[in-house]
Amino acid sequence: MDLLYTPEEEAFRSEVREFVAAELAPVANRIEKEEISPREFVRKLGARGYLGDLYPPEIGGTGRGIVHDTIVSEEVAYVSPAADAMRAVSTVFCAAPLFRFGSPRQQEEFLRPLITGEKLGAIGISEPNAGSDAAGMQTRALKMGDVYVVNGQKHWITNGSEADLVLLFAITNPDVHAHQGMSAFIAQPSRPGFTVVQDMAAMGLHGTSHAHLRFDDMGLPLDHLVGEEGNGFHVLTDELASERIDITSRTLGCARRLYEEALRHSARREQFGRKIRTFEGVSFKIAEMKIDLDAARLLLLRAARMYDQGLPVVKEAAIAKLFAAERAFQIADKSLQIHGGLGYSKDHVVEKFFRDVRVFRLGGGTDEIMKFLIQREEYRDFGLM
Ligand SMILES: Cc1cc2nc3c(=O)[nH]c(=O)nc-3n(C[C@H](O)[C@H](O)[C@H](O)COP(=O)(O)OP(=O)(O)OC[C@H]3O[C@@H](n4cnc5c(N)ncnc54)[C@H](O)[C@@H]3O)c2cc1C
């Protein structure tokens, strides 16, 4: 790892790891089993300055960049992917567009408290009838006098039932294509017409909410528009680059945990009078897992360092996310296999990570959508479109 990270980044990782061991590890099991919210932990991350790496000091951040964000993400996810999902959705998915497109007043009122951890954010894109095809969303925000009136619904909204604000995407002009007719807004649950219908029962990431939200004639002041009216699709696609890099690091944290659990178990467990690691059927899986982990890290770092240099990363972020998500799921399968029946037990951490890691092939764009983007960017780069 020494060649990949600077000594300062390595020191930062050690510091974050220590903090996570002290503040998150003792409650990680309760987050999973009792579904207690990791909200308090996210608040502590904010107090330590770990939520602001993407933002400059003037707005309460550290300005260290996305590589540092990926280190925080990996270390938190290694212990609790659910806690990291809560952190990420608030301080990357919701906050990054506020930083890049929000007005100074919006940044002061809404972005700063996300960075300090005092407030929690969510992002509302997906709907029951619009997932991969976000442009097909049906939620409407129609300007009437001095408010936008919002009607529609969103589902699978992480942090949705706990958030203080939702970065909400809606159609403001249904007469043009959504690429020109979509806008982004700040919506607070305290507004009349904002309803949390229910928290969806998820396979993994227990402890964070994934809510179904409904909006019935919810009025939003005109100054809750983020960026220009009609620019929402651009805000959305711009956000996805940092989101996908962040998801890749969360995936890597999970995969590293699954790998290290398998490594330790295979070095301890004996069958036929031998450590099971001495069987090639086991040790070759370890080799395969390690190769996938290292390759995923290299792809992640390429995308993250490009992002920090302000370069376009649509393709590189998609490649990193797709590779990490697919391979992490294979790593989960191999880790469970190496644990034998133990890995199938609800009392074992591998069973939990096996469920948690599956989501990364869906959220932030599915595997298939990543492949679509990668091939599209390749044909474009070669001037063949
Ligand atoms: C735990 C969790 C948390 C989430 N958090 C959020 C959140 O905070 N905010 C938010 O807005 N959304 C969130 N989502 C929603 C997530 O972004 C969507 O699930 C995802 O974009 C896929 O959409 P979908 O589920 O509607 O699947 P669909 O779009 O219906 O896709 C179903 C299948 O069809 C395939 N498919 C669709 N179109 C194509 C195509 N053009 N080419 C090839 N294959 C295609 C897909 O790849 C997939 O395999 C979350 C989802 C989960 C599970």
Side-chain angles (χ1 to χ4, degrees):
M1 260 203 241
D2 295 343
L3 288 176
L4 302 182
Y5 295 96
T6 66
E8 188 277 325
E9 288 163 351
E10 288 290 6
F12 180 70
R13 182 187 295 281
S14 303
E15 178 193 310
V16 174
R17 189 172 289 182
E18 213 172 288
F19 177 77
V20 168
E23 300 291 346
L24 181 60
V27 289
N29 205 35
R30 290 188 63 209
I31 292 172
E32 168 64 19
K33 298 280 184 205
E34 300 167 33
E35 303 217 11
I36 62 156
S37 165
R39 178 72 187 90
E40 197 43 43
F41 171 71
V42 173
R43 221 185 288 275
K44 288 179 184 170
L45 283 174
R48 280 289 288 248
Y50 291 155
L51 301 180
D53 289 324
L54 294 182
Y55 314 106
E58 304 84 73
I59 194 69
T62 66
R64 286 181 290 223
I66 207 164
V67 172
H68 283 74
D69 171 85
T70 65
I71 291 171
V72 174
S73 174
E74 182 185 338
E75 294 304 321
V76 175
Y78 183 90
V79 173
S80 170
D84 197 53
M86 173 177 271
R87 173 204 66 82
V89 169
S90 183
T91 57
V92 180
F93 306 4
C94 174
L98 291 177
F99 173 60
R100 288 169 70 85
F101 299 95
S103 67
R105 197 195 61 76
Q106 288 171 343
Q107 294 190 355
E108 201 49 50
E109 187 176 347
F110 300 110
L111 174 59
R112 187 182 286 278
L114 293 182
I115 295 173
T116 58
E118 287 158 74
K119 285 199 171 155
L120 189 70
I123 185 163
I125 307 164
S126 306
E127 302 182 356
N129 293 319
S132 300
D133 180 18
M137 68 175 55
Q138 291 161 359
T139 297
R140 298 277 185 267
L142 302 179
K143 199 190 273 182
M144 292 182 187
D146 57 359
V147 288
Y148 285 96
V149 178
V150 183
N151 282 286
Q153 49 183 325
K154 299 286 173 185
H155 77 167
W156 281 117
I157 306 308
T158 303
N159 297 345
S161 60
E162 281 190 82
D164 300 290
L165 60 129
V166 179
L167 184 74
L168 181 66
F169 290 83
I171 300 296
T172 38
N173 184 353
D175 298 329
V176 297
H177 191 276
H179 290 184
Q180 290 81 41
M182 185 190 293
S183 302
F185 297 90
I186 296 160
Q188 298 121 304
S190 53
R191 298 219 167 260
F194 185 122
T195 307
V196 177
V197 179
Q198 62 172 358
D199 273 333
M200 312 183 60
M203 173 181 175
L205 299 180
H206 295 162
T208 44
S209 80
H210 306 286
H212 183 169
L213 308 177
R214 207 181 63 227
F215 315 103
D216 301 292
D217 288 333
M218 175 178 69
L220 291 180
L222 299 186
D223 65 3
H224 279 40
L225 176 72
V226 178
E228 316 242 312
E229 186 179 305
N231 203 30
F233 197 77
H234 175 59
V235 175
L236 176 63
T237 49
D238 181 87
E239 181 275 323
L240 286 169
S242 49
E243 171 170 338
R244 287 176 185 145
I245 292 171
D246 186 274
I247 290 176
T248 307
S249 48
R250 189 154 35 272
T251 310
L252 191 61
C254 289
R256 183 162 64 84
R257 177 66 179 269
L258 285 155
Y259 167 71
E260 290 179 10
E261 292 289 337
L263 197 65
R264 289 193 195 96
H265 181 76
S266 61
R268 273 195 310 259
R269 175 76 171 166
E270 288 186 11
Q271 289 294 287
F272 300 97
R274 294 159 58 182
K275 306 280 188 203
I276 61 169
R277 73 170 179 78
T278 62
F279 300 116
E280 273 184 9
V282 171
S283 65
F284 278 18
K285 285 189 184 66
I286 294 289
E288 289 157 8
M289 293 157 92
K290 174 62 178 158
I291 292 165
D292 284 343
L293 269 180
D294 280 8
R297 183 179 300 286
L298 286 167
L299 291 172
L300 167 65
L301 270 176
R302 176 178 69 164
R305 296 216 188 274
M306 285 174 71
Y307 184 93
D308 277 343
Q309 286 177 33
L311 297 169
V313 288
V314 173
K315 185 171 60 183
E316 289 74 13
I319 290 173
K321 180 190 176 292
L322 172 69
F323 184 85
E326 280 187 344
R327 297 308 170 96
F329 190 59
Q330 291 170 14
I331 287 173
D333 189 45
K334 286 173 183 157
S335 181
L336 196 151
Q337 194 67 17
I338 288 174
H339 281 82
L342 192 61
Y344 199 68
S345 161
K346 279 268 180 202
D347 291 329
H348 202 282
V349 73
V350 163
E351 184 271 347
K352 170 202 141 45
F353 274 77
F354 182 89
R355 283 183 288 102
D356 283 350
V357 86
R358 185 62 179 84
V359 75
F360 305 123
R361 299 184 60 191
L362 301 168
T366 62
D367 288 357
E368 293 76 14
I369 295 303
M370 293 308 102
K371 286 180 187 168
F372 166 78
L373 293 173
I374 294 161
Q375 60 80 30
R376 185 194 68 190
E377 294 299 304
E378 273 295 274
Y379 282 112
R380 199 172 269 169
D381 287 352
F382 276 78
L384 296 172
M385 266 176 90

